[in-house]
Amino acid sequence: MASASSPLDTVVLTIAHSLSAVERTFYKLPGSAIIERYVRSSHQNDPGRTFLELIIFFLVVRTLLQSRTRADSNNAKNFIEFTEKEIDELVEDWVPEPLSRPLDDIEAAELAAVPVVAGPNGPHPTLVNTGKPAINLASLNFTGLANNEHIKQRALEAMRKYGVGSCGPTGFYGNFDVHIQCEKDIAEFLDTESAILYWQGFSTISSVIPAFCKRGDIIVVDRAVTLSIQKGMEISRSTIRWYDHNDLHSLEEVLQSVEKERRKRKGPLTRRFIITEGIFERDGTMTDLPKLIELKQKYKYRLILDESFSFGSVGRTGRGLTELYNVKLICSWVPVPLDYVLPVVSVLDLRMLLNTSVLMLPHMYSQLRCPRYWLLIIELH
Amino acid sequence: MALNRGSSPTSSIFKKQKHSPSSPPTAASYLSALSQADARARNAQRGTPTSTPALSLSSSLTTSTEDTVLTEEDGGNSDGLAIPVGKPPNSEQLYTTVHTEFGHCYNEEYRHISQHPQGAPVPRHVEQDPPYYILFSTYISYLILIVLGHLRDFLGKRFRAQSYKHLTPHDGYAPLNSDFDSFYTRRLKKRMDECFLQPVTGVAGRTISLLDRYTPDCNQTQIILDTRTRALNVSSYNYLGFAQARGGCADAVEESMKRYGVTSCGSRLEGGSTDLHTLAESVVAKFVGMEAAVISSMGFATNSTFIPALVSKGCLIISDELNHSSIRFGARSSGAHVRMFKHNDMEALESLLREAISQGQPKTHRPWKKILLIVEGMYSMEGTMVDLPSVLMLKEKYKFYLFVDEAHSIGAIGPHGRGVCDYFGVDPRKVDVLMGTFTKSFGASGGYLSGNKALIDRLRIRGYSGAYTEAIAPPVLTQIIASMASIMSIDDDGSVPGAIKLGLHPSSSSSTLHQVVDYPHPGPISQRALPHWLSLPLPLASGAEGLMRLRRLSFNSYYLHRGLDKLGFITYGHPSSPIVPLLLFNPAKMIMFHRMMKDRKTPIVIVVVAYPATPLVTSRVRFCVSASHTKEDIDSVLMACDEIGDVLDLKHGLSKGERWSIDEVCRRAVELVHIPDHEH
């Protein structure tokens, strides 16, 4: 008997020995007393509790180990397993559409009919297509400053001082003193707190909108706004509500319904914007600014007014709609591309009540790749 | 020193230490002593002939002497930037550029041809990891910054409600910026604002003039002073050194301003097209070796407005994970499905392609209409280059369309400067769409997209650019034409300038011009394809200067890249890329590195980039070398990095035994540059 039980005894003894060794090492570890106390207090002679704790512990470990870059769980359902050979066959079979269709006759004729000016553009340019002079009712040169000799001269001086390109984005040594001066001059001209230059008219509003409007924000917008505004809204992923073109009654109805929805939902206050154009690019209609401002203030919206076509063309001294209607905008923004009035520059002008402008500018700069260009806004005065 | 004016407490500590040499050597005092020694050495080396170059040349040059001796108004050479150091030039060497804009470097040894050896494998991008304590301290620093930031927000909102008004709802308006969205800007970026938005003046060439500024209230406001500091510029995208206010290109721009004015009044389709636009497009197409090209007035918008015209719903865009945000913007607004693959990883790309083609569109499993692969020729934050030969091999098998964004590679790499196709010796027409910008290498602005004629004509009428964005301005066009022509070299084929009728129409121009100009691809351009009034000086027209620019740029890129490697730094990217990222990791080192570089005797301005442009831990300095830098300029950048690297503990690349000393690097520069890629 003794001989039979001895190997069993040895095993039991070894286990007991190693267990006590583990226990001793455990108590030697710093902080082990805390763990012990925790386990004891949670156990409280109830194995169910320990079991529950263990489940929670394993769940936590599992969550931590799970890959953060989860494979598309939606796709996983739809995923079809193929063998390598089948994939090769599918690849072989796949015929993509051509990258572009060649132009058909109508489109080609359309492209051929695009006027091309020989030499400088102006009110009476010569056309390459016909070789004859024409009266220009197509170009955007409202103030006729395009070929102003004085501006040319000043631009030349600037070129001889700064070169042509600024070779860097604003953040990284592309912020020239002329840019700063120009922004200051524009802000002063429009009587606003500050202004910021963008390199291209189209990109101005389409990068400004996503800089402020985020997912969950509400944009109420005219149905006939220009494409750059539409693109900006698309990128912003905000909730978009449309109102009838230039119809402020329709706008008010939309504003009321948004307000009603918000009350029903009892959600947190989100940013709300009205976006419209001063003079519409599509049909040249003009927004009734005083009424718009009244509505905006009543319903507490921020207004983004695209003055691409009204800046420099209406108002006693060309300051746009605000001058025409003699109103002062507070805490709204008016983007005005200058390129139609003056050379090669676009402007966003921030009408800010608060001192937030400084804080937001870098954010918007970061969306720009291209450098800004010099401009002599002094000529406007 | 002027740049120590930053009112943060650290800089005042600096000053004190500088004045008490008896104090135990600290990082800052050590650094300033070294930089002073460096300046002394420069002065001694220059010796007596310092002022002679300009004088000795004044006899041989008459009209251009004005330009030659011209330096900035502040005149002096205390920073060692206005007058070239080293050997005085001999009488055969003419100064055609202003040294502060484009450095004088006549040593023909300091040239290198940027070319991929045929058949050699493309080196893979290897990410070197720093020691664990660096990673650990980086995470800890960010943790401290984030915790402190949130604590300040929490307390600030309760006790200083007035200054947090813009983050809380008021008068029924929601805050314009939510505190969560703007947290990074307010609490992390704001602390290092001295590295960004530096106001500058003059030409952003080899040197740049900084308007000194200081902040009285921890970067809430920046006050610009009247004084200026000239600094060595290794931060502008001026790869070929065309940022010049003088010289052949600038003269051409002046001529065009007189002829065409400064604006083109409108969009391309609506009365803003001039003959110059048509011409510029054909020059661009010729330069990149494609059938036709369309240009747009802004680089960012080239991607964001033309990509939606290429693909639509039912198409798939496969995009490299490090692609520029303009590509993401364009892809997002196109409506196509977008998938990303691991940066430059061809296996990942292939398995993604196999999956995408075999599975088809999500849910419906219909085959994709088109698959467009978008990669960049050179990645702006990493300096890595796309493995074009492998991509083209995949393209043959998987039949996707290839879009290469050459924003940083066009002009910068390749033996003829024609970008990544030229570098690998690949026919550019194997690529479907080549996109690029004029900002980086050509000293202009705007972007182009080139491809076959049918595609480009389609883009002209379908891209929003055509109808909605203003056409590029004539002076900018001229800068593009002149700089590209000078790299291509002009072939004066006996035609009488002005005899041919200019301003062909978009739809007919490229075909007719193409017949006229039928040279082998990286070849010269005919004088007839250029505006008749454009006359470039001989060094530019013959292509000699263009070639010199390309080779100097390649030498500088290789030298800085390999020099930093040999000194023991961790760098990323391909050695022929003019973008050289040097990894810093810790966020605080970014400001210190920036400040220490700027406060040297010869100030150097650099760009530091951090999250979100890079992953959180790998903050970096990004040097952009240029053909306008001389070998001595790169020497001084290396010296500065060597000193600062010791102080800031940045050398975690090569092990100590394999490193070279800074003297050895400078002495053996030529040897270093000519080590073949695979042996380095």
Side-chain angles (χ1 to χ4, degrees):
Chain A
M1 282 295 276
S3 62
S5 67
S6 69
L8 197 73
D9 280 354
T10 334
V11 172
V12 170
L13 268 177
T14 325
I15 292 175
H17 184 71
S18 47
L19 269 181
S20 63
V22 167
E23 198 183 336
R24 253 179 289 132
T25 4
F26 176 73
Y27 283 117
K28 269 184 203 159
L29 285 177
S32 55
I34 301 170
I35 298 177
E36 192 206 350
R37 202 165 55 231
Y38 177 75
V39 172
R40 272 186 206 285
S41 65
S42 72
H43 185 62
Q44 290 185 349
N45 295 328
D46 184 358
R49 275 167 177 264
T50 313
F51 184 64
L52 205 69
E53 295 253 342
L54 273 179
I55 289 177
I56 292 171
F57 178 74
F58 282 117
L59 273 178
V60 167
V61 170
R62 191 169 156 253
T63 325
L64 283 178
L65 289 182
Q66 247 177 1
S67 158
R68 295 284 164 86
T69 55
R70 69 191 161 86
D72 256 5
S73 51
N74 285 336
N75 275 2
K77 250 185 288 165
N78 281 314
F79 197 85
I80 304 170
E81 287 290 339
F82 289 109
T83 61
E84 288 297 304
K85 195 161 158 278
E86 282 169 325
I87 295 181
D88 281 334
E89 276 167 15
L90 282 167
V91 167
E92 192 76 14
D93 285 349
W94 181 59
V95 186
E97 283 180 12
L99 188 56
S100 67
R101 258 178 321 111
L103 300 186
D104 58 32
D105 290 346
I106 299 171
E107 285 166 330
E110 215 175 274
L111 189 61
V114 172
V116 178
V117 172
N121 209 340
H124 301 283
T126 315
L127 291 188
V128 169
N129 316 38
T130 57
K132 286 180 195 156
I135 298 176
N136 189 352
L137 297 175
S139 296
L140 302 158
N141 179 20
F142 301 140
T143 48
L145 284 171
N147 281 323
N148 186 295
E149 278 306 318
H150 184 57
I151 293 182
K152 261 197 214 175
Q153 203 47 46
R154 298 297 305 272
L156 207 65
E157 284 163 22
M159 193 277 286
R160 284 300 184 184
K161 188 172 174 206
Y162 297 95
V164 178
S166 57
C167 290
T170 318
F172 303 144
Y173 306 98
N175 189 20
F176 284 78
D177 50 354
V178 263
H179 290 130
I180 301 169
Q181 189 56 46
C182 179
E183 285 170 348
K184 234 183 240 169
D185 288 341
I186 292 166
E188 201 177 290
F189 183 70
L190 289 170
D191 191 19
T192 60
E193 198 169 296
S194 60
I196 171 178
L197 288 175
Y198 276 66
W199 172 221
Q200 194 190 49
F202 189 86
S203 306
T204 308
I205 188 91
S206 64
S207 19
V208 167
I209 293 176
F212 295 108
C213 312
K214 307 282 180 202
R215 197 187 284 275
D217 294 345
I218 293 163
I219 299 177
V220 180
V221 64
D222 191 290
R223 265 184 222 286
V225 288
T226 182
L227 190 75
S228 51
I229 296 181
Q230 293 176 27
K231 284 290 152 192
M233 293 190 304
E234 226 170 73
I235 296 293
S236 75
R237 296 183 173 173
S238 305
T239 312
I240 298 164
R241 302 288 303 268
W242 301 89
Y243 69 89
D244 291 340
H245 177 39
N246 214 10
D247 181 352
L248 293 184
H249 293 293
S250 158
L251 170 65
E252 184 154 19
E253 278 162 26
V254 174
L255 296 182
Q256 275 166 353
S257 78
V258 170
E259 186 60 28
K260 216 181 277 169
E261 276 168 35
R262 193 179 75 85
R263 284 219 187 101
K264 215 191 286 170
R265 212 163 22 90
K266 285 186 187 146
L269 191 61
T270 53
R271 283 170 286 244
R272 291 167 300 181
F273 300 88
I274 299 172
I275 303 180
T276 184
E277 287 178 76
I279 292 178
F280 282 84
E281 189 190 1
R282 264 187 212 180
D283 56 6
T285 47
M286 199 184 280
T287 301
D288 181 1
L289 193 60
K291 180 87 175 58
L292 188 66
I293 291 174
E294 202 177 287
L295 284 177
K296 153 200 142 42
Q297 279 166 349
K298 186 172 164 201
Y299 292 93
K300 312 244 182 227
Y301 275 69
R302 291 186 169 98
L303 173 64
I304 300 182
L305 183 66
D306 184 339
E307 284 217 82
S308 299
F309 287 81
S310 51
F311 176 68
S313 56
V314 295
R316 195 177 55 83
T317 54
R319 284 164 165 86
L321 277 196
T322 43
E323 190 181 34
L324 184 74
Y325 289 113
N326 198 18
V327 289
K328 182 133 173 78
L329 279 186
I330 296 168
C331 207
S332 302
W333 318 305
V334 188
V336 277
L338 275 191
D339 50 295
Y340 300 142
V341 196
L342 269 172
V344 285
V345 141
S346 313
V347 191
L348 161 77
D349 134 46
L350 295 169
R351 288 164 194 262
M352 308 298 298
L353 236 191
L354 312 163
N355 191 18
T356 47
S357 47
V358 190
L359 186 132
M360 288 174 311
L361 302 188
H363 181 54
M364 294 191 296
Y365 285 179
S366 66
Q367 308 223 353
L368 272 177
R369 174 186 223 169
C370 222
R372 298 171 302 158
Y373 196 57
W374 36 262
L375 165 95
L376 300 146
I377 191 67
I378 317 113
E379 312 304 336
L380 261 177
H381 290 294
Chain B
M1 204 162 280
L3 295 145
N4 251 338
R5 253 182 228 123
S7 72
S8 54
T10 37
S11 64
S12 59
I13 293 167
F14 266 24
K15 268 185 190 159
K16 243 180 256 164
Q17 282 166 349
K18 270 183 196 163
H19 292 305
S20 55
S22 56
S23 64
T26 59
S29 62
Y30 169 67
L31 180 83
S32 68
L34 271 174
S35 60
Q36 277 161 19
D38 153 60
R40 268 200 303 280
R42 276 167 166 281
N43 283 328
Q45 192 189 3
R46 230 183 304 117
T48 38
T50 327
S51 53
T52 40
L55 289 176
S56 63
L57 275 164
S58 54
S59 54
S60 60
L61 281 168
T62 48
T63 50
S64 59
T65 325
E66 299 294 332
D67 291 354
T68 310
V69 282
L70 189 136
T71 51
E72 302 296 312
E73 305 83 72
D74 45 354
N77 192 35
S78 57
D79 47 16
L81 288 170
I83 299 170
V85 289
K87 277 186 251 169
N90 61 40
S91 55
E92 284 162 26
Q93 297 163 341
L94 286 182
Y95 287 142
T96 50
T97 55
V98 184
H99 189 57
T100 50
E101 278 177 20
F102 193 92
H104 303 155
C105 172
Y106 291 106
N107 192 337
E108 286 298 322
E109 276 194 337
Y110 301 148
R111 307 284 189 267
H112 181 262
I113 300 172
S114 137
Q115 190 169 22
H116 184 70
Q118 283 296 322
V122 181
R124 290 189 64 146
H125 170 54
V126 191
E127 287 200 1
Q128 282 173 290
D129 285 324
Y132 281 108
Y133 77 92
I134 294 280
L135 278 183
F136 184 70
S137 58
T138 307
Y139 279 119
I140 293 284
S141 327
Y142 275 111
L143 196 71
I144 293 173
L145 279 173
I146 290 168
V147 168
L148 269 184
H150 279 298
L151 202 68
R152 284 179 67 185
D153 277 3
F154 180 81
L155 295 175
K157 272 188 205 158
R158 278 151 190 84
F159 299 112
R160 289 177 58 216
Q162 196 56 34
S163 22
Y164 284 81
K165 210 174 143 204
H166 60 281
L167 294 176
T168 43
H170 55 91
D171 312 338
Y173 287 97
L176 198 50
N177 282 354
S178 79
D179 52 355
F180 183 75
D181 284 348
S182 63
F183 183 79
Y184 180 81
T185 326
R186 285 181 301 118
R187 292 297 176 214
L188 281 82
K189 190 180 158 292
K190 181 128 250 163
R191 284 171 174 269
M192 48 183 296
D193 258 0
E194 73 171 73
C195 310
F196 304 115
L197 285 172
Q198 170 73 50
V200 294
T201 185
V203 178
R206 174 180 158 262
T207 66
I208 194 163
S209 285
L210 314 176
L211 305 182
D212 295 332
R213 60 175 179 180
Y214 80 102
T215 169
D217 49 5
C218 296
N219 294 330
Q220 291 299 324
T221 49
Q222 301 272 7
I223 295 169
I224 299 174
L225 303 166
D226 288 338
T227 54
R228 288 165 191 199
T229 308
R230 184 168 46 205
L232 185 63
N233 181 9
V234 275
S235 49
S236 289
Y237 303 129
N238 177 27
Y239 301 144
L240 290 178
F242 279 112
Q244 286 174 289
R246 289 178 195 79
C249 291
D251 293 341
V253 172
E254 178 169 348
E255 177 64 27
S256 81
M257 268 193 200
K258 287 178 183 151
R259 281 173 184 268
Y260 285 87
V262 284
T263 174
S264 39
C265 308
S267 63
R268 286 301 299 283
L269 293 181
E270 293 171 356
S273 287
T274 65
D275 50 354
L276 207 55
H277 288 95
T278 329
L279 251 158
E281 282 175 346
S282 74
V283 171
V284 172
K286 168 84 185 103
F287 186 88
V288 297
M290 289 296 222
E291 225 172 87
V294 57
I295 53 182
S296 128
S297 57
M298 180 172 163
F300 191 102
T302 315
N303 275 333
S304 65
T305 61
F306 282 124
I307 291 176
L310 288 169
V311 283
S312 56
K313 206 163 175 291
C315 301
L316 174 68
I317 292 178
I318 298 182
S319 155
D320 191 293
E321 62 178 353
L322 294 183
N323 274 348
H324 190 264
S325 72
S326 60
I327 297 176
R328 292 166 184 222
F329 194 107
R332 201 155 81 172
S333 66
S334 71
H337 195 76
V338 185
R339 295 287 297 266
M340 304 228 252
F341 67 98
K342 193 165 172 289
H343 176 53
N344 237 349
D345 185 338
M346 291 303 129
E347 277 100 65
L349 173 62
E350 181 160 14
S351 75
L352 177 59
L353 279 165
R354 290 176 77 83
E355 188 202 313
I357 297 177
S358 63
Q359 296 293 327
Q361 299 187 31
K363 282 191 185 163
T364 60
H365 292 289
R366 280 193 203 148
W368 296 105
K369 285 186 192 159
K370 311 171 211 175
I371 297 182
L372 181 69
L373 174 69
I374 307 186
V375 289
E376 288 189 43
M378 198 140 64
Y379 291 85
S380 58
M381 291 296 158
E382 315 284 318
T384 46
M385 211 186 283
V386 65
D387 182 357
L388 193 65
S390 307
V391 171
L392 286 174
M393 242 148 50
L394 288 178
K395 176 171 154 60
E396 239 157 66
K397 185 167 175 199
Y398 294 100
K399 296 173 277 189
F400 55 83
Y401 297 106
L402 179 58
F403 181 113
V404 181
D405 179 336
E406 292 219 84
H408 288 270
S409 52
I410 192 72
I413 54 171
H416 311 91
R418 313 291 166 84
V420 69
C421 295
D422 191 24
Y423 180 81
F424 286 111
V426 168
D427 180 5
R429 304 211 177 173
K430 283 190 179 163
V431 179
D432 298 286
V433 189
L434 281 176
M435 177 268 167
T437 61
F438 307 119
T439 328
K440 316 284 165 28
S441 294
F442 305 104
S445 64
Y448 67 85
L449 204 125
S450 62
N452 64 41
K453 193 171 169 307
L455 171 77
I456 297 301
D457 280 349
R458 167 73 48 195
L459 289 181
R460 278 184 215 285
I461 58 170
R462 257 203 70 187
Y464 331 127
S465 259
Y468 290 96
T469 70
E470 63 271 19
I472 202 161
V476 184
L477 284 173
T478 314
Q479 171 78 14
I480 294 163
I481 295 174
S483 55
M484 280 194 166
S486 76
I487 295 171
M488 287 194 272
S489 80
I490 301 170
D491 185 18
D492 191 2
D493 41 13
S495 68
V496 189
I500 90 146
K501 197 182 148 218
L502 281 176
L504 298 131
H505 194 262
S507 56
S508 59
S509 66
S510 30
S511 55
T512 34
L513 273 175
H514 200 68
Q515 286 156 12
V516 178
V517 194
D518 201 17
Y519 293 93
H521 162 50
I525 187 164
S526 161
Q527 173 74 50
R528 277 181 291 168
L530 298 172
H532 64 92
W533 45 264
L534 182 81
S535 70
L536 293 175
L538 190 64
L540 281 176
S542 68
E545 194 179 320
L547 212 60
M548 182 268 288
R549 284 173 191 255
L550 291 170
R551 301 205 164 154
R552 271 175 68 174
L553 173 65
S554 177
F555 177 87
N556 290 344
S557 317
Y558 266 85
Y559 179 34
L560 183 60
H561 219 282
R562 291 194 166 157
L564 288 173
D565 278 348
K566 280 286 176 206
L567 288 174
F569 291 100
I570 300 184
T571 59
Y572 277 176
H574 196 284
S576 62
S577 98
I579 300 163
V580 187
L582 185 162
L583 275 87
L584 298 179
F585 302 103
N586 294 62
K589 285 182 185 171
M590 286 191 280
I591 315 178
M592 273 320 281
F593 196 93
H594 182 267
R595 196 180 289 168
M596 284 172 148
M597 287 295 248
K598 216 168 73 164
D599 286 355
R600 289 175 67 81
K601 176 85 171 139
T602 302
I604 301 172
V605 289
I606 47 130
V607 167
V608 288
V609 277
Y611 180 82
T614 69
L616 190 66
V617 277
T618 53
S619 317
R620 61 197 71 173
V621 176
R622 194 183 55 172
F623 298 106
C624 290
V625 298
S626 153
S628 65
H629 295 131
T630 62
K631 193 237 169 200
E632 287 73 28
D633 293 335
I634 308 291
D635 284 349
S636 58
V637 173
L638 284 170
M639 273 179 223
C641 288
D642 187 51
E643 289 160 19
I644 297 170
D646 283 333
V647 177
L648 295 185
D649 184 26
L650 297 173
K651 297 182 176 175
H652 301 296
L654 284 182
S655 64
K656 280 222 167 73
E658 291 170 80
R659 285 182 205 163
W660 289 9
S661 71
I662 178 71
D663 294 331
E664 196 175 1
V665 170
C666 294
R667 203 180 58 242
R668 294 169 65 185
V670 178
E671 188 189 331
L672 193 61
V673 166
H674 287 98
I675 304 173
D677 284 351
H678 54 275
E679 285 171 26
H680 182 73

